[in-house]
Amino acid sequence: MRVLGIETSCDETGIALFDSEQGLLADALFSQVEMHIEHGGVVPELASRDHVRRLLPLVDQVLAEADLSARDVDAIAYTAGPGLVGALMVGAATAHGLAWAWQVPVLGVHHMEGHLLAPMLEEERPEFPFAALLVSGGHTQLVAVHALGHYELLGESVDDAAGEAFDKAARMLSLPYPGGPHIARLAEQGNPDRFRFPRPMTDRPGLDFSFSGLKTHTLTTIRALEAQNALDDQTRADVARAFEDAVADTLVIKCRRALDQTGLKRLVVAGGVSANQRLRQRLDAALEKRGARAFYPRGRFCTDNGAMIAYVGTQRLMAGERDGQAMLATPRWPLSELTPPARRQD
Ligand code: KG4
Ligand code: ZN
C-alpha cells in the first residue's frame, strides 16, 4: 500500500510518500520559520495561510520525486491533531479533497504518534514494547509503548514543555525562534563549570517534569548579570550551557527511572528536542550502563515532517482503519486516548 502523508499541525508543511513494501519513497518539507522569526514565535493565522500556499505544490513535488502519479497513491493520511486548529484544518481539507478526487481512503492520525514512531523510518528500528521520551515544543512525556496504538502515559510536564523552555530561555538571551538549536550552538562555547542550574523534580520520586522553576532561575540569573553589566558573549554562552545541561540531565534522570520502573530495555526519543546532541550523548552513556539502548529518528525527522505521518497512516490503513467523510481537526488530543488500529466505518 502506498500512502501520501500530510503534516500541517504547526509551522512546517510536510508531505511524504510511504510504501508498505519499499519504505519511504519521497518526502518534502517547507519550514515557515523565516516567516515567524520577526514575531518571535508562530503566528497561527500566518501559519494557516502559508500551508494553503505550499501544500499542493509539495504534493506535486513528492510525486515527481518518486516518479509516480496520483493514480499510484492508494490512501491518504493527514495530521488530525493535536496542533493549531486553523493549520490542522488546511491539512484535513486538502487530504479529504484529494481523497475524494482520487477515490481513495483517508485517515486522520495523531501528530505525537507520528513522532513516537518516527524511529521506525530508520534501518535499525526498535521492537515493541519500548519506553518513549517525547520532547517537542508542546509536549514532554514519558510513555510505555506496548504495541501500535497501545500507549500508557508514565509521566509528563506539569507546566512548560522542554522545547518551550528552550524557546523561552533563547528569547531571554535574545536568540531567534525556535530557540533549541540556537541555545545548543551557543552552549558549545560555554564553560560547564561556571553556573549550576537546578534539575527540577529529580529529588523526589515520580516521572513527571516541571520546567517553569528552571525558566525562572534562568531569568533571575540573566537579570542579575545584566544589572552588573556582566552579560558579555562568554557569559551568555556559559548561561546557555548551564541551561542545556540542566534540561539534558533532568530528562536523562527521568528516562533512567522509567526504564527501571517498567523493566524495559529500549527507549525511543523523539520530537524536536531529541535533535539535541548533548541529550543524546548523555542518554546513550546512561543507557549503556544499564544494558539498554536508545533509538532516535534521523535529524530531519526529529522535528515535524510528513514522513512520520505517512508511516503511521500506512500502519493503521493497512489494518483496515479509515475515516468517513467528516474532516477531523482536534487541537487537544491526549495520546493515551488512542487505541490500536480498528476497522472504522462511519
Ligand atoms: O517536534 P517539533 O518540531 O514541533 C512540535 O511539535 O512542537 O519541536 C519543536 C521544538 C522547539 O521548541 C525547538 O526549540 C526544539 O524542538 N528543538 C530543539 C533542538 N532542535 C529543535 N531543542 C533543543 N536542541 C535542539 N537541537
Ligand atoms: Zn511535532
Side-chain angles (χ1 to χ4, degrees), residues 129-161:
F130 53 80
L133 173 70
L134 288 177
V135 268
S136 70
H139 293 78
T140 303
Q141 296 183 324
L142 272 164
V143 182
V145 177
H146 300 289
L148 180 74
H150 187 181
Y151 309 125
E152 179 192 350
L153 185 65
L154 301 172
E156 64 183 332
S157 177
V158 297
D159 41 55
D160 291 0

Side-chain angles (χ1 to χ4, degrees), residues 1-331:
M1 178 184 269
R2 222 172 272 135
V3 176
L4 180 79
I6 298 180
E7 155 64 33
T8 63
S9 67
C10 191
D11 59 345
E12 341 255 15
T13 318
I15 303 289
L17 262 175
F18 188 87
D19 184 298
S20 54
E21 301 289 313
Q22 295 167 276
L24 188 64
L25 301 178
D27 80 290
L29 187 82
F30 181 85
S31 170
Q32 304 175 353
V33 161
E34 293 297 319
M35 190 176 78
H36 298 292
I37 245 172
E38 61 181 294
H39 306 284
V42 178
V43 183
E45 179 65 20
L46 294 182
S48 310
R49 287 168 188 242
D50 207 55
H51 287 308
V52 172
R53 275 192 288 273
R54 307 290 169 190
L55 260 176
L56 290 175
L58 282 178
V59 171
D60 281 343
Q61 183 184 325
V62 158
L63 286 171
E65 258 172 44
D67 204 13
L68 295 171
S69 75
R71 276 187 305 280
D72 302 308
V73 175
D74 300 312
I76 299 176
Y78 66 97
T79 303
L84 303 170
V85 71
L88 292 168
M89 290 284 287
V90 177
T94 306
H96 275 265
L98 290 177
W100 187 78
W102 297 347
Q103 289 294 294
V104 294
V106 60
L107 183 70
V109 305
H110 195 290
H111 180 79
M112 298 310 291
E113 187 176 38
H115 277 306
L116 190 67
L117 299 182
M120 299 297 195
L121 291 161
E122 305 307 320
E123 233 161 69
E124 283 191 61
R125 351 134 106 230
E127 276 172 37
F128 295 120
F130 53 80
L133 173 70
L134 288 177
V135 268
S136 70
H139 293 78
T140 303
Q141 296 183 324
L142 272 164
V143 182
V145 177
H146 300 289
L148 180 74
H150 187 181
Y151 309 125
E152 179 192 350
L153 185 65
L154 301 172
E156 64 183 332
S157 177
V158 297
D159 41 55
D160 291 0
E164 198 180 350
F166 265 103
D167 295 339
K168 287 179 180 167
R171 203 190 269 209
M172 293 173 204
L173 289 168
S174 313
L175 295 169
Y177 175 87
H182 294 281
I183 293 258
R185 214 166 300 131
L186 186 58
E188 285 299 313
Q189 318 301 324
N191 171 2
D193 301 318
R194 170 102 182 263
F195 301 106
R196 186 175 166 85
F197 284 11
R199 275 66 174 151
M201 288 179 80
T202 51
D203 53 351
R204 58 186 113 147
L207 294 172
D208 283 339
F209 305 86
S210 164
F211 290 105
S212 74
L214 176 61
K215 189 179 66 187
T216 310
H217 184 91
T218 308
L219 185 61
T220 315
T221 306
I222 291 172
R223 290 245 168 95
L225 288 161
E226 272 169 349
Q228 297 157 24
N229 222 354
L231 198 63
D232 52 40
D233 285 351
Q234 183 58 50
T235 305
R236 289 172 76 244
D238 297 343
V239 168
R241 178 66 195 256
F243 175 84
E244 189 186 42
D245 278 348
V247 176
D249 276 356
T250 306
L251 295 173
V252 169
I253 290 167
K254 296 291 163 99
C255 286
R256 272 197 329 238
R257 244 182 234 175
L259 293 180
D260 289 347
Q261 192 174 308
T262 56
L264 294 167
K265 292 284 183 203
R266 291 177 289 272
L267 176 76
V268 155
V269 191
V273 182
S274 70
N276 188 275
Q277 290 303 322
R278 202 169 311 279
L279 172 65
R280 288 186 178 209
Q281 283 158 11
R282 296 208 180 160
L283 265 177
D284 287 341
L287 265 58
E288 203 185 320
K289 282 194 198 142
R290 296 180 138 59
R293 193 183 151 189
F295 296 83
Y296 309 93
R298 76 191 78 166
R300 72 176 199 279
F301 295 159
C302 287
T303 44
D304 293 347
N305 64 86
M308 66 186 193
I309 301 305
Y311 176 81
V312 168
T314 305
Q315 305 314 304
R316 289 185 169 273
L317 284 153
M318 294 261 292
E321 188 167 328
R322 21 198 104 331
D323 286 343
Q325 288 187 332
M327 292 190 297
L328 305 176
T330 314

